Amino acid sequence: MNTKEIQISDYNYPLPDERIAKYPLARRDQSKLLVYDKGEVSDDVFCNLPQHLPQGALMVFNNTRVIQARMHFRKSTGALIEIFLLEPAQPADYEQMFQTRESCQWLCLVGNLKKWKEGTLVRELEIKGEHIEIRAMRKGEAGTSHLVVFEWDNSSVSFAEILDAVGELPIPPYLNRETEESDKTTYQTVYSKIKGSVAAPTAGLHFTPEVLSALDAHGIDREEVTLHVGAGTFKPVKSADIGHHEMHTEYIAVHRRTLEKLLAHGCQAIAVGTTSVRTLESLYYMGLKVLSNPDISEEELHVSQWEPYREVKSEEVKSEEVKGEEVKSEQSLRALLDWMDRRQLTVLHSSTQIIIAPGYDYKIVRMLVTNFHQPQSTLLLLVSAFVHGDWHRIYDYALSHDFRFLSYGDSSLLIP
């Protein structure tokens, strides 16, 4: 099968609005869990997840934290302008960005753009008892996004504090409701740490401290990666075939110890969520790049959309050890770890645009915990690739057994 020729219409299914969970359950871990185990489908309660997992396995979580990415400014004319933060531009590093004082620049989406042709937007606020004025100015365009400069008149206040004061949490558009105060808690995973996402890694929303403790008691080794989920995660596939769909880029951070853990577990992992999948699978292709170019830079490790579907010719691999054969996951991750050691890096920072669809050969992920995704979405393609095309039976079961769908809905454990 040529992956680029896949028709997105083949990945449609009826999803009535009443099956979309508008709010989470009162207790996260009481959500339903569909278990797909080598073709057999059953259901359970999420708190029983550890009982379905092999002892001693490695489970990988995405510890990104959702930021309050929506900012509203009102012009003197009364027009309301929404600025939706997409990714930091200056400084480009997320951690540095949130500690920035006095000014910064972001790539943003702008709502009601026709009313903001030029000029400066101003908003007044109070933080820690001090009056602050923040200004926003458009500086240029970058594709469908806009470069926006923010300036504020108090050097003791960080941009993170400004967002906490005036930003709004961006819940998914398909919930068709305004953000509520409760979403600030329920739309974050209990293990979220690193600010940067504009959408939650929703498979993780079912975990509670009690479930995490049960995983530990079951002998599951837990590890975390960071992939900052972009607004592109909601981007619909508008082309008839996926070959003409452009995947969004997302930024990842992986610690050296995570690569060591993966190698210790035979480069096999249970992924919590599709973002963890995309991060883990991208590591394999980053390792291939290192094998082809040992002096490659961090930026050049970026995994492009169709890279996994390109046949790597043996002459491209510089390492004599793996020439002339398919590069194993262990060889690829070992090369990446050695590359980090040569540069004395404890954390790998890079990006991925990987699209995982039928025809993809999984390299690291062996089990997947994930929610139920939108019809005709790239996430449904990822699931289909994982269960070797058997997604219809899973989704038919979920629809006929009253499972709740999408971000605040129920989840599944997939074991192909």
Side-chain angles (χ1 to χ4, degrees):
M1 179 205 317
N2 185 338
T3 302
K4 291 185 180 182
E5 294 175 0
I6 288 174
Q7 300 295 298
I8 196 63
S9 58
D10 292 339
Y11 294 83
N12 202 3
Y13 69 90
L15 179 59
D17 187 64
E18 61 268 19
R19 301 305 296 276
I20 299 173
K22 301 297 192 293
Y23 295 90
L25 296 181
R27 285 190 57 189
R28 296 170 183 243
D29 60 10
Q30 293 305 300
S31 54
K32 294 178 75 168
L33 175 71
L34 181 149
V35 180
Y36 174 90
D37 190 349
K38 298 178 179 63
E40 295 295 318
V41 185
S42 60
D43 59 273
D44 201 343
V45 182
F46 190 84
C47 60
N48 295 329
L49 172 69
Q51 299 169 21
H52 298 279
L53 305 178
Q55 289 185 313
L58 175 65
M59 191 171 224
V60 179
F61 299 77
N62 181 7
N63 64 12
T64 187
R65 188 165 180 81
V66 185
I67 63 172
Q68 296 180 191
R70 291 187 193 278
M71 301 178 73
H72 289 97
F73 291 79
R74 195 169 290 281
K75 293 187 68 177
S76 56
T77 59
L80 186 66
I81 310 296
E82 178 181 281
I83 300 178
F84 188 110
L85 307 177
L86 290 179
E87 62 183 78
Q90 184 62 42
D93 178 80
Y94 281 89
E95 196 171 335
Q96 291 178 24
M97 169 59 75
F98 294 117
Q99 298 309 312
T100 300
R101 314 278 164 156
E102 297 186 316
S103 72
C104 61
Q105 298 179 25
W106 281 78
L107 288 173
C108 306
L109 296 177
V110 178
N112 207 9
L113 179 64
K114 62 182 182 294
K115 295 292 179 67
W116 186 27
K117 298 291 188 188
E118 57 185 18
T120 301
L121 303 178
V122 179
R123 180 165 176 175
E124 297 184 351
L125 57 144
E126 197 170 285
I127 297 178
K128 295 181 291 193
E130 292 193 45
H131 178 269
I132 295 169
E133 184 179 271
I134 181 168
R135 298 175 296 281
M137 295 144 283
R138 276 177 57 211
K139 194 176 179 181
E141 297 181 10
T144 57
S145 58
H146 298 264
L147 185 62
V148 177
V149 180
F150 297 98
E151 295 178 349
W152 57 101
D153 58 359
N154 189 320
S155 60
S156 69
V157 172
S158 68
F159 193 66
E161 291 172 302
I162 287 175
L163 280 190
D164 286 343
V166 302
E168 293 179 18
L169 203 74
I171 60 172
Y174 46 65
L175 295 184
N176 290 320
R177 65 173 176 84
E178 295 295 315
T179 301
E180 298 177 16
E181 189 64 26
S182 61
D183 292 307
K184 290 183 180 180
T185 302
T186 58
Y187 198 59
Q188 300 280 14
T189 63
V190 296
Y191 49 81
S192 65
K193 297 180 180 71
I194 314 298
K195 290 182 177 181
S197 281
V198 300
T202 54
L205 296 179
H206 306 275
F207 287 85
T208 59
E210 291 78 14
V211 173
L212 295 175
S213 294
L215 288 169
D216 295 340
H218 192 65
I220 299 294
D221 198 355
R222 291 193 280 129
E223 193 56 48
E224 295 178 356
V225 295
T226 306
L227 179 143
H228 291 311
V229 189
T233 193
F234 301 118
K235 182 181 177 183
V237 180
K238 292 184 176 178
S239 55
D241 58 66
I242 67 160
H244 290 91
H245 176 72
E246 184 179 356
M247 279 294 284
H248 53 291
T249 295
E250 289 172 320
Y251 296 88
I252 66 174
V254 178
H255 283 259
R256 183 189 185 281
R257 67 166 186 273
T258 306
L259 289 172
E260 288 184 315
K261 282 268 188 81
L262 284 164
L263 286 161
H265 285 270
C267 295
Q268 296 190 359
I270 304 166
V272 176
T274 56
T275 58
S276 297
V277 171
R278 295 181 73 231
T279 304
L280 290 168
E281 294 295 314
S282 293
L283 292 177
Y284 174 82
Y285 294 97
M286 291 179 182
L288 282 190
K289 285 174 178 280
V290 170
L291 286 168
S292 298
N293 176 12
D295 298 318
I296 196 168
S297 68
E298 258 185 311
E299 294 74 22
E300 291 172 312
L301 287 178
H302 168 80
V303 179
S304 62
Q305 178 166 340
W306 296 109
E307 205 158 318
Y309 306 89
R310 185 178 71 86
E311 188 176 338
V312 178
K313 298 180 174 58
S314 60
E315 62 267 20
E316 292 180 51
V317 178
K318 299 292 190 287
S319 170
E320 293 297 328
E321 186 184 337
V322 295
K323 266 196 172 182
E325 60 182 62
E326 184 184 356
V327 179
K328 295 180 175 65
S329 301
E330 289 88 347
Q331 294 166 323
S332 180
L333 295 197
R334 173 61 62 189
L336 190 57
L337 184 62
D338 291 344
W339 176 88
M340 288 181 70
D341 286 346
R342 290 197 301 273
R343 283 156 180 74
Q344 299 182 315
L345 294 175
T346 56
V347 185
L348 167 66
H349 292 277
S350 195
S351 58
T352 184
Q353 198 182 0
I354 192 171
I355 185 168
I356 297 178
Y360 180 84
D361 179 23
Y362 277 84
K363 304 297 183 182
I364 293 169
V365 179
R366 293 296 179 263
M367 298 184 187
L368 170 60
V369 177
T370 188
N371 283 16
F372 297 96
H373 305 291
Q374 286 181 293
Q376 301 190 105
S377 64
T378 57
L379 300 182
L380 189 54
L381 293 173
L382 181 152
V383 167
S384 180
F386 193 67
V387 297
H388 310 298
D390 205 15
W391 71 272
H392 265 300
R393 206 148 58 85
I394 295 166
Y395 276 64
D396 287 347
Y397 185 98
L399 285 164
S400 62
H401 286 75
D402 296 321
F403 277 73
R404 301 156 72 246
F405 279 62
L406 308 187
S407 296
Y408 274 144
D410 297 315
S411 70
S412 62
L413 169 64
L414 307 180
I415 307 170

